[in-house]
Amino acid sequence: MEISQLNIGMQVPDFAALSTMGPIRMSDYKGKWVIFFSHPGDFTPVCTTEFIAFAQTNQDFVDRNAQLLGISIDSNPSHLAWVYDIYLTTGITIPFPIVSDRSGDIARSYGMFAPDVTTQETIRDVFIIDPLQTVRAILIYPATNGRNINEILRLLIAIQTTDEYGVLTPANWEPGQPVMVPPPLTYEGLIRRETDPERIGLECEDWWWCYRTIPFPESE
Ligand code: BEZ
């Protein structure tokens, strides 16, 4: 089986498909962030908990101009029956489209089949796609373990923060915490950070290891 080499920094393949909210194209979402995620199959327990968690976090994604978009190789009637079953069981409506990819062509073009899996079952991939339809992050989880939806949201906010402020985010960063600035590229910049970092709004451990604060997203 041919496996796609889609990686961060690349343009996403466009596609047209049937979804639980009607026909869609990936290119319909230009200008928005897209969280495009595959799951192994409908009516499976781990996937169901993920869809409930995505539904409960949906508004946080919408608030950040991001569209959730699910996909698997199940049929559209199967997707519809599953989301209705989730509604009947929990009262939760799935507020985002789920793409049906019966041929597996879309999943193949995004590399959503694991090379060591012989069945035609998509694994748990997550693509964070920016408004120019460039892949910014890819997360891959095994079928046996559900995703942490808060981590997907955290990573989206971190990437958006980088784009807005030209900053980096340290390990375990959470929105509202200090961010990092890239190391200086000139000797003059090095000396300025070394001698008086506070004057340029930085808090430094060393001239190449500095933090700054940015407005907290909720208070902007
Ligand atoms: C699940 O979502 O529960 C699941 C999917 C595929 C294999 C095993 C579990």
Side-chain angles (χ1 to χ4, degrees):
M1 185 200 306
E2 196 184 317
I3 302 294
S4 160
Q5 294 296 310
L6 194 59
N7 211 331
I8 59 174
M10 293 170 68
Q11 286 294 112
V12 291
D14 195 14
F15 62 79
L18 195 54
S19 85
T20 49
M21 295 187 175
I24 60 163
R25 291 179 175 275
M26 175 56 84
S27 51
D28 292 342
Y29 298 109
K30 276 183 189 161
K32 277 188 174 197
W33 293 79
V34 181
I35 312 298
F36 187 37
F37 60 98
S38 55
H39 67 278
D42 299 348
F43 296 99
T44 52
V46 177
C47 298
T48 301
T49 61
E50 288 185 324
F51 271 67
I52 291 169
F54 271 124
Q56 289 170 333
T57 321
N58 183 61
Q59 191 58 47
D60 293 312
F61 287 98
V62 171
D63 291 347
R64 287 161 180 89
N65 190 31
Q67 172 70 52
L68 294 174
L69 183 60
I71 180 172
S72 80
I73 61 166
D74 296 283
S75 67
N76 196 53
S78 169
H79 286 335
L80 290 172
W82 183 39
V83 297
Y84 187 50
D85 210 42
I86 292 173
Y87 171 72
L88 292 179
T89 310
T90 67
I92 293 168
T93 298
I94 302 302
F96 50 83
I98 311 172
V99 168
S100 171
D101 181 28
R102 294 300 288 148
S103 68
D105 286 348
I106 301 168
R108 213 166 283 109
S109 71
Y110 279 76
M112 289 168 167
F113 294 118
D116 61 339
V117 175
T118 52
T119 61
Q120 294 285 298
E121 197 180 72
T122 43
I123 49 174
R124 298 184 202 281
D125 279 6
V126 182
F127 291 82
I128 298 183
I129 300 164
D130 74 15
L132 298 176
Q133 305 232 290
T134 302
V135 178
R136 300 295 296 275
I138 304 173
L139 306 171
I140 305 176
Y141 289 62
T144 46
N145 305 94
R147 289 162 278 208
N148 184 326
I149 311 309
N150 290 331
E151 167 56 12
I152 297 168
L153 179 63
R154 187 200 72 91
L155 181 55
L156 171 70
I157 297 171
I159 296 170
Q160 290 179 334
T161 300
T162 289
D163 285 4
E164 187 170 354
Y165 296 99
V167 296
L168 320 169
T169 58
N172 298 332
W173 178 82
E174 292 289 343
Q177 293 179 346
V179 295
M180 308 185 91
V181 293
L185 295 175
T186 62
Y187 190 70
E188 186 196 346
L190 179 160
I191 294 299
R192 274 200 299 150
R193 288 195 189 181
E194 188 67 17
T195 52
D196 195 2
E198 290 80 16
R199 196 169 56 82
I200 51 174
L202 300 180
E203 196 165 306
C204 296
E205 301 288 340
D206 208 329
W207 61 266
W208 49 268
W209 179 355
C210 298
Y211 296 87
R212 59 166 281 207
T213 55
I214 53 166
F216 187 53
E218 263 67 38
S219 64
E220 277 180 292

